[in-house]
Amino acid sequence: MSDAEMRRLGTRARGTDGGIVVVGAGLAGLFTALKLAPLPVTVVSGAPFGEGGSSFWAQAGIAAAVGEGDSPEAHAADTVEAGAGIVEDSIAELMAREARMRVEELLEYGVPFDRDLEGKLALGQEAAHTSRRILHVKGDTAGKAIMQALIEAVRATPSITVMDGWNAGDLLLSDGRVAGIALHSADQNRPKRRILPARAVVLATGGAGQLYAVTTNPAQSKGEGVAVAARAGAVIADAEFVQFHPTALAIGADPAPLATEALRGEGAHLIDKSGKRFMRGVHPDAELAPRDIVARAVHRQVVSGAGAFLDLRPFGATLAKRFPTVHASCLAAGIDPAVEPVPVAPAAHYHMGGVLTDADGRTSVDGLWACGEVASTGAHGANRLASNSLLEAVVFGARVAEDVSATMQNYRGDAAPAFDYDEPAARDDTRRIRLLRQTMAAKAGVVRDEQSLREVLRVIAELERSHPDRPLKNMLTTAKLIAAAAFARHESRGAHFRSDYPEANPALARRSFFTLEEADSVARDAVGGEEARPGVVTALHA
C-alpha cells in the first residue's frame, strides 16, 4: 500500500506511524508490548487506557507450579485432564514449564501476590487442580492488581504508544500479507476511521462473552478479534467451546458479577432453595468438580425451579476481608452474604476457541499474531482449567513478542503514516444486538441441540440480511463460527454439551478448524434443514 494511496483516503494522523500494532490493552496485549521493548509499538484500546477488559475483572488468580511438592508436569497433566481429550499436550507442557518465569517477571513489575506468615507465596486451591497452585491478590483482586502494575510499566516505557478510543475494523492485506489495520473510533458521536499501516499486527482483543445475554465479560468482549481475523482468511479453532462460569450472581446485572471459584475452593457450598447441597449427588468432587459439570448442574437447578445458591455464611465476618470484590457485589445487590445464601446462575465466561495459532502465536495469515483469549493455542481444549487464562496470556504474550522481534529485525522498510477520515454516523443496532444475545444464551448456551442451533443460525442469517453496522457485523461473524462449529460436533465434550448427543464420541476427540467460508457453508445447510455435508468443512479433522 503506497503513501499516495493512503493520502487519498484522508488526512494524515500525526504520531501514529505503523510498524508493530497490538490491538487490545488487556493483560495479553500489555505484556506483549512490554516484552517487545525497545521496539516501537502502538497499542490500540477501545476503552480509555486502564479501563475495561476481562483481565482487569479477573477475580481468580494465576496458576503456576511454584509450591513444594508440585511440578510443571503435574500442572500440565491437570490441564490436559480438564481439557477433555483435545488439549495439545506439548502446548500444556510448555505453558506449565514457563509459568514460574512469568510469575517472577510479574513480581518484578510489582504485582503484590498474597504471601503467608513466613513471607512465601500463598497458594490457593481451585477446581480440578491436584495441588494448591493458584496465586491470588487479596483473595479476589488478582486481575486488577496485575493490570495496575502493567499499566504503570507501560506508562514508563517510551517505546509504547497507546491509542485509546479505537476499535478494530478489518485487516489490510497486500499480496496475502498483513499491511495494516483499519480502526474505527469508539465514540459514536464522532465517527471516524483510521488506516494504520503495520508490518506486524498482534490481536489481543479478549473474548466473546457479550455474544450472550448473561455474561461475566465487560462490554468490549464482543468477539471482535475473531471476526476480524476470520474475514482476513484466518483459521478459527475450537469455536464451539464456550466456558460458562457456574456461579455468576443472578441479580439481573449486565455484566453479571462473578463469585470466584476460589470461594468454593475455600469451603463455600452450592445449595438449593431448601438448603440441600446438590453437587454431592453429581460428582465425587462436589463443588470442586470441573467447571462444565458444575455449570450444567447449576443450570438444571435454575431451569427446574429448585434454585441454585452459593452459601457464603460459613465465612462470616471474614468474607469482606478475604473476598472484598464478591462481598461488595452482594451488598450492592441488597444481599447480606453473612446471613443469606446468594442466588447464582451460569454465565458466559471464557471462549476456549479463537484464532488458531502455533506455539509462537503465529496465525495462518502472514504478519498476524494472536495471544490471550482471542487466540486458540490448544492449551485449554474443551474446558479451560481454572486460573490458566492469565497464565496463558503472559506465557504466549512473551512468545509472541520474541517471534515478532525476530521478524522485525529483518525488516528495513520505512514506516508509513496513518490517515484519518470521517465516517457516516452508525445506525442503532441495539434491538438487533439484544436479539442475538438472547438467542445465543437460549439456544447455544450451556445446553444445545440440533434444533436450537439451527434456530441460532437462522436468526444470524436474518440479522445479516438487515445490513448491520460494524459492531453487530463482528458479533454475527463470531456467533456464526461458534454455532456452526457446535452444529457440526455431534457429541458432548467439555463445555460443549449437546442434549441430542449427550455422550463423548472417542472418534471425535480432536480439535475443530474452520474458515469463515466453511462456517458459512455449514450455516447455509443448517438453515436449509440439511445436515452438514461430509467434505464441506475441514472441521473436526485429525
Side-chain angles (χ1 to χ4, degrees), residues 232-247:
V235 175
I236 307 302
D238 303 336
E240 64 268 42
F241 297 109
V242 178
Q243 187 171 76
F244 294 84
H245 198 289
T247 53

Side-chain angles (χ1 to χ4, degrees), residues 242-497:
V242 178
Q243 187 171 76
F244 294 84
H245 198 289
T247 53
L249 302 188
I251 57 175
D254 183 20
L258 176 68
T260 174
E261 195 163 51
L263 288 160
R264 285 175 281 136
E266 296 301 318
H269 297 146
L270 284 164
I271 60 175
D272 62 18
K273 59 186 178 184
S274 70
K276 179 182 177 181
R277 287 180 63 185
F278 58 83
M279 282 306 302
R280 283 175 164 172
V282 175
H283 192 276
D285 293 332
E287 282 84 2
L288 293 181
R291 277 187 178 175
D292 64 305
I293 293 173
V294 181
R296 285 195 293 275
V298 172
H299 175 75
R300 286 193 297 271
Q301 292 290 122
V302 173
V303 171
S304 71
F309 300 84
L310 191 63
D311 190 357
L312 304 177
R313 289 174 294 183
F315 289 100
T318 68
L319 182 68
K321 182 177 181 180
R322 296 178 65 184
F323 298 97
T325 304
V326 172
H327 184 259
S329 294
C330 291
L331 294 183
I335 299 170
D336 185 351
V339 298
E340 58 184 318
V342 181
V344 293
H349 183 60
Y350 190 89
H351 192 195
M352 277 79 73
V355 186
L356 177 66
T357 72
D358 65 10
D360 295 319
R362 287 185 179 237
T363 73
S364 57
V365 177
D366 194 18
L368 180 67
W369 287 257
C371 57
E373 191 173 350
V374 70
S376 181
T377 63
H380 301 308
N383 196 38
R384 175 178 66 90
L385 182 65
S387 291
N388 266 355
S389 54
L390 296 183
L391 175 62
E392 184 197 34
V394 293
V395 166
F396 290 95
R399 296 182 72 85
V400 165
E402 184 177 357
D403 197 54
V404 171
S405 296
T407 301
M408 294 300 288
Q409 285 177 359
N410 299 322
Y411 173 63
R412 294 293 182 267
D414 295 327
F419 285 86
D420 288 353
Y421 61 93
D422 293 333
E423 280 194 310
R427 65 180 291 177
D428 185 1
D429 276 332
T430 302
R431 287 188 297 174
R432 294 176 179 85
I433 289 173
R434 185 183 303 118
L435 173 61
L436 174 65
R437 296 183 68 197
Q438 291 173 342
T439 303
M440 288 291 287
K443 307 293 186 179
V446 178
V447 177
R448 307 111 177 243
D449 62 29
E450 180 178 303
Q451 189 55 43
S452 72
L453 292 167
R454 285 189 195 276
E455 178 65 13
V456 171
L457 292 167
R458 184 189 67 78
V459 170
I460 289 171
E462 290 179 357
L463 290 172
E464 286 178 329
R465 288 193 291 270
S466 73
H467 305 291
D469 214 334
R470 182 190 50 80
L472 176 55
K473 181 181 178 182
N474 281 341
M475 295 175 73
L476 290 170
T477 297
T478 303
K480 181 193 296 182
L481 285 156
I482 291 171
F487 186 85
R489 185 177 284 275
H490 293 174
E491 66 159 354
S492 291
R493 184 176 297 276
H496 168 72
F497 186 82

